[in-house]
Amino acid sequence: MTQTGASAEVYSTDESGTIDKGYGLHKGVLSPMETFAQSVSAMAPSASPSLTIPLVFALAGNGTWFVYLLATLAILLIGFCVSRFARMSASPGSLYTYTSDTLRPSLGAIAAWALLIAYIATGASVAGGALYYANVLLGQFFSWTPPTLPTLAIVVILTAAVAYRDVKLSAELMLWIEVVSVSLIAIVLALLLIHQGFKLDINQLRLKGVPITGLGPALVLAMFSFVGFESATTLGGEAREPLKTIPRVVIQVAILAGVFFVLCAYSEVLGFQGESGKLSDSTSPLHVLARKAGVSPLGTAIDIGAFVAMIACVLACTTAAARVMLRMSHSGLLPDLFGRTHKRYGTPGAGVVLTSVVMFATTAAMALRGVGGTDMYGWLGSISVFGFLTAYALVAVSLPFARKALGQHSHLVTAISWFTVLVMIACAFGSVYPVPEGPAVWFPYIYLAYMTLGMCWFLVRRNTIHSRRARTSN
């Protein structure tokens, strides 16, 4: 399965420890903290307590915290595999590069198309979330609901402009948005626990009444809270000392996010005890908890933070998707247009534009059919998970072969890699069985149809891909 002429991009570095493959990106402009910001913003951790955790609770009940613990363990396995690769490779292709330079070109193409839909669908998903919170906030302050299509257009155009203009500015904005949002959530939950008297919730700890059949689908939803945690790898050419910085960022983000989500899940379930409404039915759960903790103004601040954080996530996904397209173009999988960068800004302009157009077109089409922001968030997020699971699994498959090519074979790494693959397969199976109800039953077919089209395009471009691969190997 390994390629004997593996690209030097994965296995060679220059004296500074970075890779320069002539992508046209601004090299070494991002500090470790700004690189960290890319992964944090692509996850949009401040959005999960408001939108994703209630969805997980609807399926797992008192087991919500446990589901997030399992998701954290799964993400740490993925993080282990990604970080090991990130020590060897620095490229805008991210997980696609790791796979394509190790396995067969066809498997590399699968990883590329999977990662692309993952980032674009996540960006469109949180654009729907931003629409929802725009309605909540403007309805609360002005009793006015903004028009849907102009709101979506503003979100997408704003993020596209920033992503097109300056990756460094993008990173700085994303970092501060998430720091403020997560801090506000932590303050509310801490005050809530103080108000509750720090008592242990025995029902949660004993998983009382947790439906076993709901754990699989709940785990997939919980995984959506983490997806994008690896997106710092798309900044390989732009981060300082990427072979050191990016592996650390991947693991740090996985651990910090896991702790945050588990604590949020436990605290939210605990905080809603005694409330007339359920956590799963609340339109703004943290607003309710802030009121219960005696700090209602913070609830409004958190809603504002969630809205801005979702815009930051759209920005992060646009940044990541455009760089994946840049690498796909350099490998021959996409036309050369997407392999060019702006002479002044050093950003892949064509990729940014196409990514933004697809995000807007998708959400606009759904809005015209009467789909609300929360449904956009849940539906498109579910589709994106299939892409991430595919890319994660292929990276885990690739790792042992890449290390063997370097003479660094390890039975432990191999065992962890293949166990990670099994976990990804289990997560994918949990998303389709038991057979979900409503629109969710069509999500796997939509994803498979997209991947089929992508592989048909691979066959069209196959000769170009092979010729460029051979040239690079030589």
Side-chain angles (χ1 to χ4, degrees), residues 128-140 144-146 151 155 307:
L131 171 66
Y132 169 76
Y133 269 100
N135 291 335
V136 169
L137 291 169
L138 291 176
Q140 178 180 343
W144 174 67
T145 301
T151 302
V155 170
F307 169 68

Side-chain angles (χ1 to χ4, degrees), residues 397-436:
V397 169
S398 304
L399 181 58
F401 295 107
R403 290 180 61 86
K404 185 176 181 180
L406 286 172
Q408 299 176 2
H409 177 69
S410 166
H411 292 295
L412 176 61
V413 171
T414 300
I416 294 175
S417 298
W418 286 106
F419 182 67
T420 302
V421 174
L422 294 177
V423 171
M424 295 302 98
I425 293 173
C427 289
F429 181 77
S431 67
V432 297
Y433 185 84
V435 178

Side-chain angles (χ1 to χ4, degrees), residues 293-312:
V295 286
S296 294
L298 287 187
T300 301
I302 288 173
D303 287 343
I304 296 173
F307 169 68
V308 180
M310 288 180 183
I311 295 178

Side-chain angles (χ1 to χ4, degrees), residues 180-193:
V180 172
S181 299
V182 169
S183 297
L184 289 175
I185 293 172
I187 290 171
V188 168
L189 294 180
L191 291 175
L192 178 67
L193 292 177

Side-chain angles (χ1 to χ4, degrees), residues 23-25 116 120 156 160-161 163-165 317-330 334-343 345-359:
Y23 290 108
L25 300 169
L116 189 59
I120 292 178
V156 173
Y164 186 90
R165 175 66 174 80
C317 291
T318 302
T319 298
R323 281 150 181 76
V324 172
M325 293 172 70
L326 177 71
R327 178 62 176 82
M328 291 170 70
S329 176
H330 276 254
L334 286 180
D336 292 341
L337 171 66
F338 298 100
R340 301 169 189 163
T341 55
H342 195 282
K343 292 182 179 179
Y345 303 140
T347 56
V352 169
V353 171
L354 181 59
T355 296
S356 300
V357 168
V358 173
M359 286 181 182

Side-chain angles (χ1 to χ4, degrees), residues 2-12 21 23 97 99-105 327 330-331 405 464-474:
T2 53
Q3 300 296 310
T4 56
S7 168
E9 185 171 5
V10 176
Y11 304 124
S12 298
K21 294 293 289 183
Y23 290 108
T97 296
T99 301
S100 64
D101 287 345
T102 307
L103 304 180
R104 298 179 186 278
R327 178 62 176 82
H330 276 254
S331 70
T464 302
I465 293 170
H466 282 291
S467 63
R468 292 194 182 182
R469 188 181 183 89
R471 193 184 321 138
T472 303
S473 299
N474 294 331

